[in-house]
Amino acid sequence: MTGHKLKILGIGGTTRAGSSSEKALAISLQAAAEAGADTVMISGSDLVLPMYSPDVRDRTYEARRLVAAFGECDGIIVSSAAYHGSISGLIKNALDYVEDLREGERVYFDGVAAGLIACGGGWQATGQTLAALRAIAHALRAWPTPLGAMLNTSAKLFDEDGACTDLSARFQLETIGRQVVEFAQMASVYRTRPSVLF
């Protein structure tokens, strides 16, 4: 392990503060922090951005902040509500801003660990949403963790303080947070000492 402290970015939630997907994201980020990483969460109203257009050069402060966080993170956790069988427009639009990294030193999320969480009021929509998140992560060159979380929010999973009261859901969320850190650690070692892994 190098002296570099890993940065794990979490994006998710809905425009409604305290949504299930935001609470789930917070739990995964807490597990990442407990595994030794610095964490940042950008969620809810902070993700209400202009529709992404590659032709527009002037970005809002919020968009610049998000793109900077994308470029600096060693790992990312994305938590989306399942809207009509796929990810929400809010999260899709935010992820479209990764296109601004297409000419950066690190293109998109190349080599970045990605933890993925789908929250929905049923298993079918939740499964399809997780599959969509995985497809997007691959398209952005990220490394999805082996475990992706599917939370069926038709059952009560969180208390009023945001704590997860369902053991299976909590296990998934905490495992994702730890796996993102573990993958990011391996990638960090490989970038500085590639012979270590071979």
Side-chain angles (χ1 to χ4, degrees):
M1 177 71 181
T2 67
H4 168 71
K5 186 142 188 187
L6 299 172
K7 296 178 183 176
I8 307 301
L9 170 65
I11 68 165
T14 68
T15 54
R16 178 175 60 84
S19 66
S20 295
S21 51
E22 185 176 295
K23 290 175 181 176
L25 178 61
I27 291 167
S28 282
L29 285 174
Q30 179 61 37
E34 290 170 1
D38 284 336
T39 62
V40 174
M41 183 163 76
I42 302 178
S43 64
S45 61
D46 289 334
L47 293 174
V48 178
L49 305 169
M51 185 65 67
Y52 179 77
S53 171
D55 302 321
V56 174
R57 294 296 173 204
D58 291 331
R59 299 285 184 228
T60 63
Y61 166 79
E62 292 79 10
R64 290 195 309 272
R65 175 184 179 230
L66 180 65
V67 172
F70 283 156
E72 295 168 359
C73 71
D74 300 291
I76 185 167
I77 301 174
V78 181
S79 181
S80 178
Y83 283 1
H84 310 129
S86 192
I87 70 172
S88 71
L90 182 77
I91 300 303
K92 179 61 169 72
N93 188 53
L95 289 171
D96 285 345
Y97 276 86
V98 179
E99 184 65 20
D100 281 4
L101 301 178
R102 66 189 174 276
E103 296 175 358
E105 183 176 338
R106 181 186 75 198
V107 178
Y108 302 145
F109 288 137
D110 191 26
V112 172
L116 307 171
I117 303 165
C119 300
W123 292 118
Q124 180 173 324
T126 310
Q128 290 174 180
T129 301
L130 181 60
L133 284 168
R134 284 190 182 277
I136 291 167
H138 284 295
L140 294 176
R141 307 184 190 181
W143 296 358
T145 58
L147 182 66
M150 295 192 311
L151 304 187
N152 185 345
T153 57
S154 61
K156 184 174 173 58
L157 302 178
F158 303 97
D159 65 20
E160 292 71 23
D161 298 322
C164 187
T165 55
D166 182 271
L167 291 177
S168 174
R170 189 168 75 231
F171 170 81
Q172 291 179 68
L173 297 172
E174 291 176 348
T175 300
I176 285 171
R178 287 192 298 270
Q179 286 185 345
V180 167
V181 174
E182 289 165 3
F183 273 45
Q185 287 170 337
M186 287 187 284
S188 179
V189 168
Y190 177 73
R191 280 190 291 272
T192 56
R193 294 181 292 159
S195 62
V196 169
L197 299 181
F198 297 100

